[in-house]
Amino acid sequence: DAPYLPGPLPNDPKDSRWAGAPRVDVRLRATVNAAGEVTGPQTVTMVSVQGLHNGETLALRLAWDDPSQDDAGQPTDAVAVVLQPEGVAGDVVSLHAWPLADSPPLDLWVWSGARAAEAWQGQDVEAITDHFEPLLTAQAGTRASWSVYEESRWTVVMHRPLVPVDLSGAARLSPETLAPLAFIVWDGSAGGQRVVSPWVDLRVQPRPTAQGPVPSRPRRAVVWGLSVVVLVVKKSWGGRA
C-alpha cells in the first residue's frame, strides 16, 4: 500500500517519513535470451519497495543490493517501474519473456545511474514502449529522482504524477484502485544483466476523512523468506492472483 501523506513528498532516500510507509521485498529472477539460456550469474536478487502519495504525486523508494556502483559509461545500473498503460488489462506476459514480437507495449518509468547528476538528483524517463533500450540511454527525462549508493546498496526515490498529463495513455493511479506493477533491475558490472519481478498490485490509500482513516479492505499477505509482502503478489509470473 502507498499511504497518504499531505504536503510535499520526501525526496531524500534517508528522510524519516519513509518509516511510515510499509516495505515490501519483491524477489527478482534473471531473464533468458532467445535460446532460453540464463543471461549470466544473477547478482541482484531482491528489490525493497515503499510508496507514499499526497493526492497528486506518487513517490516510490526502491532499494537493492548491488556489488558495485556503475553510474558512468554503458552499461549502467538502472531500475524500471513497469505499469500497465490505459487499454491494457487482464493477464500480461511475464517480464521474464518480455519483450516478444507480439508483446503489448507497457508503461516503463526508468531510473538510470548515468542520469544521476550533482547531489544525486536525476531525471527519469517514462514512455509507453515495447522495448526498453532507448530509455536506458536517454540523456534526460521529465520525472524527478534522487539516489544514493552506500555499503553496496542503491536507494532511489522516484516521483511521478498519479495521473500524468504529459504522456498519452500512461497508467492512471487513483485511491482504492489496484494498479498492477512490476520491476526490472539492471546491473552494469554484470554486463547490464536484467532481472525482473512478478506482477504485484499497488493500492493507493485514500485520503483520511475527518472521522479518521478509511478502513482498509481485507488484504492477503504473502511471505517471501522472512519478509511479509503487503502488496498482492501474483500466483505466477504472467498470471493473476
Side-chain angles (χ1 to χ4, degrees), residues 79-105:
V79 65
V81 179
V82 186
L83 299 151
Q84 291 188 13
E86 288 188 298
V88 175
D91 292 342
V92 174
V93 66
S94 164
L95 292 181
H96 196 251
W98 188 89
L100 298 173
D102 57 350
S103 298

Side-chain angles (χ1 to χ4, degrees), residues 80-233:
V81 179
V82 186
L83 299 151
Q84 291 188 13
E86 288 188 298
V88 175
D91 292 342
V92 174
V93 66
S94 164
L95 292 181
H96 196 251
W98 188 89
L100 298 173
D102 57 350
S103 298
L106 296 175
D107 186 340
L108 266 63
W109 172 23
V110 180
W111 171 90
S112 169
R115 288 192 292 267
E118 187 177 355
W120 295 106
Q121 182 171 356
Q123 295 181 328
D124 298 341
V125 177
E126 183 175 2
I128 312 300
T129 182
D130 57 5
H131 55 291
F132 43 74
E133 287 84 358
L135 281 67
L136 295 174
T137 57
Q139 297 299 308
T142 59
R143 308 281 183 253
S145 64
W146 298 261
S147 57
V148 62
Y149 182 84
E150 291 182 349
E151 299 181 351
S152 300
R153 186 172 178 84
W154 277 112
T155 305
V156 178
V157 173
M158 304 168 67
H159 284 198
R160 173 196 189 272
L162 291 174
V163 181
V165 297
D166 58 350
L167 180 60
S168 177
R172 302 165 63 92
L173 309 177
S174 59
E176 286 300 315
T177 299
L178 292 178
L181 75 165
F183 306 95
I184 306 173
V185 178
W186 289 266
D187 182 3
S189 65
Q193 183 194 57
R194 185 173 83 253
V195 293
V196 300
S197 81
W199 289 95
V200 299
D201 282 334
L202 170 69
R203 185 178 74 99
V204 177
Q205 291 187 5
R207 183 193 303 253
T209 65
Q211 290 75 32
V214 176
S216 297
R217 296 173 180 173
R219 311 294 293 165
R220 285 181 292 170
V222 180
V223 177
W224 295 68
L226 297 179
S227 301
V228 178
V229 179
V230 294
L231 294 176
V232 182
V233 179

